[in-house]
């Protein structure tokens, strides 16, 4: 396993649309293991493969609270098959947009279909933080960042702040 570099705005790779995975094999599981280690190291609670420069439809997540037993989750080729009409606001952040937080409205519940770590198909209802996080990560697979939902002024200020942050790091 290895900690990989997380790309940050305005890296154009983050705007790429990720392609479907053909087969869930040992090589893909090694990628997911690296993604999970990278996410824990950041730290974060979710990560999409494009954030480490791999344009594949793969997401990892762990929503366990600090001090709880880790609950790693793996999502390959995830699809939203239903979204509730109700939406909820949430103060989001992103490892690819460090130190920027703002409110985004998303569907309160989504039903998702995906392949798990072993390539088995799963259909699951997500709500609460799980719903917010999976929608945020699936946006990454379309090359969409949470700041794309903000006003142009807020988005430009966010990118400018991250540029300065990374320059002095
Ligand atoms: O895509 C990412 O960078 C992962 C996000 C996941 C996330 C975004 C918005 C809302 C919930 C989860 C990072 O984990 S951002 C850091 C973070 C940590 C705890 C709670 C919210 C955000
Ligand atoms: Zn993100």
């Amino acid at each position: 396993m290895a900690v990989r570099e997380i790309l940050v705005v305005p890296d154009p790779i983050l705007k790429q649309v990720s392609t479907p995975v053909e087969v869930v094999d040992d090589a893909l599981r090694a990628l997911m293991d690296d993604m999970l280690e990278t996410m824990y190291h950041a730290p974060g609670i979710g990560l999409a493969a494009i954030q480490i420069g791999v344009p594949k439809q793969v997401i990892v997540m762990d929503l366990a609270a600090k001090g709880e037993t880790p609950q790693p989750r793996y999502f390959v080729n995830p699809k939203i098959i239903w979204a509730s009409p109700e939406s909820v606001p949430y103060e989001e952040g992103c490892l690819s947009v460090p130190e920027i937080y703002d409110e985004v409205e998303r569907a309160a519940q989504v039903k998702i279909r995906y392949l798990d770590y072993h390539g088995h198909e799963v259909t699951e209802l997500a709500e609460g933080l799980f719903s917010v996080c999976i929608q945020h990560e699936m946006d990454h697979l379309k090359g969409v960042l949470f700041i794309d939902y903000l006003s142009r002024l807020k988005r430009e200020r966010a990118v400018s702040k991250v540029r300065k942050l990374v320059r002095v790091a």
Side-chain angles (χ1 to χ4, degrees):
M1 294 222 278
V3 174
R4 314 271 279 257
E5 181 194 357
I6 295 177
L7 306 180
V8 298
V9 294
D11 193 316
I13 293 174
L14 291 168
K15 303 304 282 176
Q16 277 184 23
V17 175
S18 298
T19 55
V21 167
E22 283 82 38
V23 60
V24 181
D25 56 12
D26 288 345
L28 191 80
R29 280 184 281 272
L31 168 67
M32 294 192 280
D33 293 343
D34 280 1
M35 288 174 64
L36 202 63
E37 186 176 5
T38 302
M39 184 195 79
Y40 286 138
H41 180 265
I45 60 174
L47 192 73
I50 194 64
Q51 292 181 272
I52 60 168
V54 177
K56 285 284 176 202
Q57 293 179 11
V58 184
I59 292 166
V60 297
M61 192 184 298
D62 189 333
L63 302 180
K66 221 178 192 138
E68 273 185 6
T69 308
Q71 294 168 34
R73 304 290 315 271
Y74 309 86
F75 306 88
V76 178
N77 298 343
K79 294 281 174 289
I80 292 176
I81 59 175
W82 173 84
S84 64
E86 299 80 19
S87 63
V88 290
Y90 192 89
E91 183 86 356
E92 297 196 10
C94 181
L95 298 174
S96 295
V97 192
E99 301 188 22
I100 302 293
Y101 299 93
D102 215 316
E103 192 172 277
V104 176
E105 283 267 334
R106 295 190 190 270
Q109 297 177 320
V110 287
K111 189 172 282 187
I112 56 176
R113 184 162 293 148
Y114 59 91
L115 301 178
D116 67 11
Y117 191 78
H118 300 288
H120 300 140
E121 184 174 281
V122 178
T123 300
E124 186 173 2
L125 180 69
E127 47 195 3
L129 182 56
F130 182 17
S131 173
V132 172
C133 190
I134 196 67
Q135 291 178 77
H136 175 109
E137 300 308 335
M138 289 181 68
D139 267 355
H140 274 298
L141 305 186
K142 295 181 289 186
V144 173
L145 300 171
F146 84 96
I147 55 172
D148 294 335
Y149 296 102
L150 307 182
S151 69
R152 181 173 170 181
L153 179 62
K154 276 191 170 182
R155 184 166 57 253
E156 289 176 349
R157 281 182 174 160
V159 174
S160 168
K161 183 178 171 187
V162 173
R163 280 180 187 275
K164 291 189 185 94
L165 197 70
V166 171
R167 199 181 305 148
V168 299

